[in-house]
Amino acid sequence: MNPTNYERASAMNMLVNTEDFNGPLTMSSREVAELCEKNHADVLRDIRVMLEQLDEVASSFAGYYIASNGKQNPCFNLPKDLTLTLVAGYNVKLRKRIIDRWLELEGQGPRTAALTGPQLMAAALIEADATMKAQAAQIEGMKEDVAAHERLTKAEGSLNVTEAAKNLGIRPKELFDWLSHNGWTYKRPGASNWLGYQTKCNQGLLEHKSTTVIRADGSEKISEQVRITPKGLSLLAKLIFPTVRLIGGAA
């Protein structure tokens, strides 16, 4: 007899608990038989064959249960590894039952199977309600983003890079660098002014503004400046930290 294990009896037998709760968790051959809908005698035979093939001492796992007539009947109490080894040869549905039972014993498995029909319905409704509330909160949080995006898209006039950086909440140098490295702007060799790539101008993201400057000698100089349109600023708000929400707060 192994005093560190227990045996769950069926309705025909008395429940005998011989488990030391400080000892290792085991599963009895009776429970394996019940879960797998097998004859207990056949499960005992399978266990003996397994233990012999593994060179395990059968008496180390021997136990007993008491039938309703008071007679002690033999059983085996197996640890998890031997239990799963035993049922490895059983079909997948039976293995799944054993694994689910082990998870339940270890406090890891789902316990919804023990709920009644009305309890399952109530649990499903609670979960559905929580999901709907979470989705509603997410949608509400997105409204501010959408509103900010619309304000940027519909705004009139363009901004120079320094003004756009202020609206984006970053330093002008960071925005200049980002635009240059991501194919928005470039400089002609020997020139000091930034220009926008034609593809970005065609998309309505950038535009150029020409300014006539009078030099000291009276001659004129045309200065061209790249500017970011509201549509371009809206797109940059999605691509560059800190995103549209912070843009909306700064607007």
Side-chain angles (χ1 to χ4, degrees), residues 131-187:
T131 300
M132 292 176 63
K133 287 180 178 178
Q135 291 175 342
Q138 184 178 15
I139 292 172
E140 187 65 27
M142 292 173 62
K143 287 182 179 179
E144 184 181 346
D145 291 352
V146 174
H149 173 73
E150 291 181 349
R151 288 198 300 273
L152 291 172
T153 303
K154 296 177 180 178
E156 296 181 358
S158 58
L159 302 174
N160 62 36
V161 176
T162 299
E163 293 168 338
K166 180 180 178 181
N167 279 272
L168 290 170
I170 60 178
R171 295 181 301 173
K173 183 181 183 304
E174 293 174 344
L175 183 54
F176 274 112
D177 290 343
W178 191 95
L179 294 173
S180 174
H181 286 92
N182 288 276
W184 283 55
T185 60
Y186 69 99
K187 283 184 179 181

Side-chain angles (χ1 to χ4, degrees), residues 217-239:
D217 60 3
S219 61
E220 295 182 351
K221 175 186 176 182
I222 298 176
S223 176
E224 194 171 18
Q225 181 188 58
V226 63
R227 299 178 68 87
I228 300 172
T229 67
K231 181 179 178 182
L233 188 63
S234 177
L235 179 58
L236 289 173
K238 297 177 183 178
L239 299 176

Side-chain angles (χ1 to χ4, degrees), residues 2 6 17 22 24 39 45-46 53 74 94 97 103 114 121 127 139 150 170 191 197 215 224-225 232 248 250:
N2 184 353
Y6 74 93
N17 186 351
N22 293 320
N39 187 291
R45 178 202 61 212
D46 294 341
Q53 292 176 346
L94 302 185
R97 290 181 189 175
L103 293 175
M121 178 63 73
E127 183 175 356
I139 292 172
E150 291 181 349
I170 60 178
Y197 280 101
R215 296 190 179 96
E224 194 171 18
Q225 181 188 58

